[in-house]
Amino acid sequence: EVQLVESGGGLVQPGRSLKLSCAASGFTFSDYNMAWVRQAPTKGLEWVASISYGGSNTHYGDSVKGRFTISRDNAKSTLYLQMDSLRSEDTATYYCARHRSSYLDYFDYWGQGVMVTVSS
Amino acid sequence: IQLTQSPSLLSASVGDRVTLSCKGSQNINNYLAWYQQKLGEAPKLLIYNTNSLQTGIPSRFSGSGSGTDYTLTISSLQPEDVATYFCYQYNNGLTFGSGTKLEIK
């Protein structure tokens, strides 16, 4: 069974940093492209970033480009999201998601999400 | 590509045939998926590549469309279908629609 379990969320002040993790199991992690998607409270979904299966390619949404960094450790089957210079508008539930096959295609499995609140 | 979903709120009766719409600002070339999100849960993939049903999803869900206009149809609405439905395009960038909230009348 595919499982994606996010961790690392919490309350952080504006301008500070936070690093999210997503532990994957039930599939060969190194075979899949991965992503982060977020959802602000009572709002819709927003793609944040994607990374290729080997980690050599990354892409970011315009709202986080230059502030967030996606990375992965295939030996640990773990995906990461380093979030710097956080803003109040980054407050959201962050989901780890697996791309089905091609890089930057649809997501077939999602984690349960982790909440990040940016507030002073 | 921007996606516009309509209606934003839909109320229907159990057993009704329900149609949700998603319109792109440009040609999506059938690279469109639909997700169901129940309250407090993560999104679940229903349909990909416009009309391919994800494994394990009931056959009452179907997708259609081409170009800029796409549709998710529920042939016979069930109580467990209460959720918000998002369309998602992966033809040019990755974007989600704003969602249609589906309620039981």
Side-chain angles (χ1 to χ4, degrees):
Chain A
E1 179 192 4
V2 172
Q3 285 200 318
L4 299 169
V5 179
E6 302 93 339
S7 61
L11 174 63
V12 60
Q13 293 179 329
R16 304 296 293 264
S17 298
L18 199 64
K19 188 172 185 176
L20 305 181
S21 299
C22 170
S25 61
F27 66 102
T28 303
F29 181 70
S30 58
D31 285 348
Y32 287 87
N33 306 302
M34 299 294 296
W36 290 96
V37 179
R38 70 183 181 183
Q39 186 170 34
T42 70
K43 299 294 184 183
L45 298 162
E46 179 188 15
W47 168 70
V48 173
S50 291
I51 186 167
S52 60
Y53 61 91
S56 58
N57 289 322
T58 58
H59 281 77
Y60 298 91
D62 288 342
S63 62
V64 306
K65 203 173 293 184
R67 299 188 299 122
F68 289 12
T69 303
I70 188 172
S71 62
R72 64 192 297 161
D73 185 336
N74 285 343
K76 295 182 178 179
S77 296
T78 302
L79 179 72
Y80 302 102
L81 185 67
Q82 175 68 44
M83 303 184 293
D84 298 324
S85 302
L86 282 161
R87 306 166 180 167
S88 58
E89 53 264 38
D90 296 318
T91 294
T93 295
Y94 285 75
Y95 294 100
C96 167
R98 188 181 84 168
H99 281 289
R100 174 67 164 264
S101 54
S102 302
Y103 186 50
L104 301 182
D105 70 350
Y106 58 95
F107 313 107
D108 61 351
Y109 286 95
W110 300 60
Q112 282 304 299
V114 62
M115 185 67 198
V116 173
T117 302
V118 183
S119 175
S120 55
Chain B
I1 296 178
Q2 293 183 338
L3 297 177
T4 302
Q5 289 189 245
S6 61
S8 55
L9 175 64
L10 179 58
S11 184
S13 299
V14 172
D16 281 355
R17 181 181 182 87
V18 171
T19 299
L20 285 64
S21 174
C22 177
K23 185 176 180 66
S25 59
Q26 301 173 29
N27 188 351
I28 295 171
N29 287 313
N30 294 116
Y31 292 112
L32 188 107
W34 290 92
Y35 291 91
Q36 175 193 66
Q37 187 177 34
K38 296 183 179 180
L39 196 62
E41 297 184 5
K44 177 194 290 187
L45 176 66
L46 300 176
I47 301 285
Y48 60 95
N49 294 346
T50 297
N51 55 17
S52 296
L53 191 67
Q54 171 68 346
T55 302
I57 301 302
S59 59
R60 64 179 181 274
F61 292 92
S62 64
S64 63
S66 63
T68 60
D69 296 322
Y70 296 83
T71 299
L72 174 69
T73 300
I74 306 173
S75 60
S76 177
L77 185 65
Q78 299 302 304
E80 60 267 31
D81 299 335
V82 168
T84 300
Y85 292 82
F86 295 96
C87 59
Y88 164 78
Q89 72 81 25
Y90 41 104
N91 178 57
N92 184 355
L94 304 178
T95 50
F96 292 89
S98 56
T100 292
K101 186 175 183 180
L102 179 58
E103 299 179 338
I104 298 292
K105 194 181 293 184

